[in-house]
Amino acid sequence: MSEQTPMTSQWSESDATAIVSRYREQGIGEDLALRVYTSRLIGRDPRLVIHGGGNTSVKTELADFLGDACQVLCVKGSGWDLATIEPAGLPAVRLEPLERVRAWERMSDEDMVRFLRSNLLDPGAPNPSVETLLHAYLPHKFVDHAHATAVLAVSDQPDGEEICREIYGERLAIVPFVMPGFELSKVTADAVAAAPEVEGVILHKHGIFTFGETARESYERMVEHVARAEAHIARFPKKTFIAAKIPEKVSNVSEIAPIIRGACSQRGADGEHRRQILEFRSSAAIRAYVDGAELSDYGRRGVVTPDHIIRTKNKPLVAPAPEAGRLDRFAAAVTDAVAAFVAEYEAYFDAQNARQAEPKTRLDPLPRVVLVPGVGLFGLGKGAKDARIAADLAEITVDTVTDAEAVGRYEALPESDLFDMEYWSLEQAKLGKAEEPPLARQVTVVTGGGGTIGAAVCRLFAAQGSEVAVLDRDEKAAQAIGAELGGAALAIGCDVTDADAVRAAFDRVCAHFGGVDILVSNAGGAWQGPIGEVSDADLRTSFELNFFAHQTLAQNAVRVMKAQGTGGVLLFNTSKQAINPGKNFGPYGLPKAATLFLSRQYALEYGALGIRSNAVNADRIRSGILSDDLIETRARERGVSPEKYLAGNLLGLQVEAEDVARAFLELALARRTTGGVATVDGGNIAAALR
């Protein structure tokens, strides 16, 4: 932060005029249009807001359902990101009823949520911010709230309130930490009423509010006051952490990520592993931080703002430095460190829960951030998005704590306050409690992912919650499917007959997601010709792709799965040729038959590790292998139309790529099936297993 250029206003008169004009055409007034504009300016600066932190509002006049003018507060709604907010993300709440309850001594959180919803102008709008009443009770037209990192760096100090008074004098009011909700709303409003000339409020160890009579005034006050905190920090020499003794050579990310991922998983009541996805980060600033000799002190004092705790927990896990060539030692040390972390979290929960009038239900005790000296940091979450959020917040923490240590000594809120925030029902509601899809928390590698069958598998597995790595020799085809899936899908150009390329691809997947749980080994090619006449070169080439590539892929998948220690699934596309050879298809069928038995060999040898291995036997799927030209040729040989050829089975139905994808999915979910073969051919007795 201290190395960044000073924060300056990004207000553009032409941009403001343009957005007002655009929204006017949609029947939206200037107040709300400018509120959207400056909300985006705030939301797009990570020094002010990151991942939903902060909120904005405007007091204005709108018509209700009857067309009557109504004084309302338009305030950020739950689930909206300030960086991309639209008018719909600022639900309007009637102001007059909010003022009427201001005199109340107390209001429960649940009552507050119901009260706010009952006063929405549009009953279908999202829930207003939990800080709606605070916005309402401030007398200014526009109000902005952010968790600015520079403000946190000067506030998160033993004498943080005094430092803030030194920086801001009488221009900002300072409010000691109070849990968000009804009480904080009243305390803050009282502080401003006692000093009506102030331009904003510092919420100690929480964030900053600014306000004004125009959108520009409120926004530019935010920028100015955050810049003042940055200028104060810049007065101090950049913090240099005393370096710990790090091994001269450390293991790489792709080697240690599966170990960390496995150690940070837990078995559920059903015996299945509850995994997490990882996001890795490293930079000069991160390395200086995690390589510090006193990392276990300054790195574990607590979150920089209580809003982070639901994403990162209060403290990170500090792992040992992974010395190259000693992964077994690293794995044992990480396992012990996670066990100690879990025990510490459970003790923290028990101690804080004992003082609750209504006992809480303990959340899972696993870490969400892992700091690794010599390497960097990992964010962990139930999916790639959550892992990315945790990693982003961990990076913000690195910057904030580094600057705070330069100013003085970083100090977080007491555990009692942070526990209340972590287990606050309104904060937990942000995470959602929807049932997770069946492949959530898992990483799937699909080869031939740019082709017809592979793409269908990628789409279906992603829809079922898996993170997906799309591998294809045609990198552009892989990228096209990856872009279609969106989110964190990883596209890799990879020739699966190249053992080094396969190893590199799996290393990339591990560095990107943390590991691998499912392999769909699908890539293949159809060589033809009478077996007695086929060239040795063609037969060997077919074996390279249709057998040896499957072996190389499975070896790499097992390598990662063993490091994780959480089991896994190997799935092979073997084709009906493995069971029922077709005339002139020996060059294709022979390696496919070998791959079928390869699948069973893996089932035999790795079942004790919880690694399941199954195959799909599919036939006559229009795809890259069974091209239109090949379909025409095969149909002509049988004296039927291409359509009748494709539907030449007992059911008389054409089998689609999506049918094959569903078979792979069923095998991925069949927790007590290994060494099996799923047939997807519409019915062919000659190809039935005996």
Side-chain angles (χ1 to χ4, degrees), residues 25 414 437 446 461 497 580 585 668:
E25 295 174 359
V446 182
F461 277 51
T497 65
N580 174 219
F585 257 94

Side-chain angles (χ1 to χ4, degrees), residues 255-574:
E255 290 177 317
I256 67 170
I259 293 171
I260 292 171
R261 185 166 181 248
C264 293
S265 68
Q266 237 182 9
R267 281 188 182 273
D270 58 358
E272 291 299 308
H273 288 278
R274 185 178 173 85
R275 304 174 176 95
Q276 298 192 79
I277 306 301
L278 273 58
E279 168 96 2
F280 175 68
R281 300 288 172 84
S282 192
S283 66
I286 291 172
R287 282 293 307 277
Y289 186 89
V290 302
D291 291 359
E294 298 177 353
L295 174 63
S296 293
D297 173 24
Y298 61 75
R300 303 191 78 243
R301 291 185 198 150
V303 288
V304 298
T305 179
D307 295 74
H308 289 186
I309 197 165
I310 59 169
R311 300 287 191 177
T312 64
K313 293 199 176 292
N314 189 27
K315 299 176 181 179
L317 170 74
V318 176
E323 186 174 0
R326 298 193 171 185
L327 288 175
D328 288 348
R329 178 182 295 183
F330 177 74
V334 168
T335 299
D336 290 344
V338 172
F341 184 97
V342 168
E344 180 185 30
Y345 185 87
E346 290 174 341
Y348 149 80
F349 174 83
D350 291 341
Q352 297 300 328
N353 197 38
R355 63 182 177 81
Q356 303 297 312
E358 295 184 13
K360 307 294 184 181
T361 300
R362 181 174 58 76
L363 301 170
D364 92 69
L366 295 170
R368 295 295 186 272
V369 174
V370 178
L371 309 179
V372 187
V375 182
L377 66 82
F378 292 89
L380 288 73
K382 63 183 179 182
K385 178 182 177 182
D386 296 278
R388 184 173 64 253
I389 290 172
D392 285 345
L393 297 179
E395 275 204 82
I396 289 294
T397 299
V398 168
D399 288 340
T400 306
V401 173
T402 300
D403 281 345
E405 286 286 294
V407 171
R409 184 181 191 277
Y410 171 67
E411 180 183 81
L413 286 164
E415 284 192 344
S416 55
D417 289 327
L418 293 172
F419 179 89
D420 291 344
M421 195 71 173
E422 183 177 7
Y423 282 86
W424 188 29
S425 61
L426 302 190
E427 197 73 355
Q428 284 295 317
K430 295 179 182 179
L431 298 179
K433 300 295 182 183
E435 184 178 349
E436 294 182 3
L439 293 183
R441 302 172 178 271
Q442 300 197 56
V443 178
T444 301
V445 172
V446 182
T447 68
T452 306
I453 293 175
V457 173
C458 291
R459 294 186 189 104
L460 182 60
F461 277 51
Q464 296 300 310
S466 180
E467 308 301 335
V468 176
V470 187
L471 273 60
D472 200 286
R473 183 174 58 182
D474 183 344
E475 187 170 4
K476 289 185 177 179
Q479 290 171 343
I481 299 303
E484 179 187 329
L485 298 180
L490 177 63
I492 301 175
C494 178
D495 179 352
V496 294
T497 65
D498 181 339
D500 291 339
V502 171
R503 171 73 188 229
F506 272 81
D507 286 350
R508 277 190 63 187
V509 176
C510 290
H512 190 80
F513 291 122
V516 174
D517 305 300
I518 302 170
L519 167 67
V520 180
S521 192
N522 165 70
W527 278 261
Q528 302 175 64
I531 195 62
E533 301 171 25
V534 66
S535 71
D536 186 64
D538 280 353
L539 186 59
R540 290 180 181 276
T541 301
S542 181
F543 261 91
E544 284 295 330
L545 178 58
N546 293 310
F547 172 73
F548 285 108
H550 291 286
Q551 162 67 348
T552 303
L553 288 157
Q555 282 182 319
N556 277 275
V558 166
R559 168 177 62 85
V560 176
M561 291 170 184
K562 287 175 67 178
Q564 292 172 163
T566 58
V569 183
L570 306 175
L571 300 172
F572 300 87
N573 189 341
T574 59

Side-chain angles (χ1 to χ4, degrees), residues 30 41 128 133 147 190 198 249 255 292 330 335 347 387 458 478 499 560 565-566 618 682:
E30 181 174 326
L41 293 180
L133 292 178
H147 303 136
D190 290 345
V198 298
K249 293 184 178 181
E255 290 177 317
F330 177 74
T335 299
C458 291
V560 176
T566 58

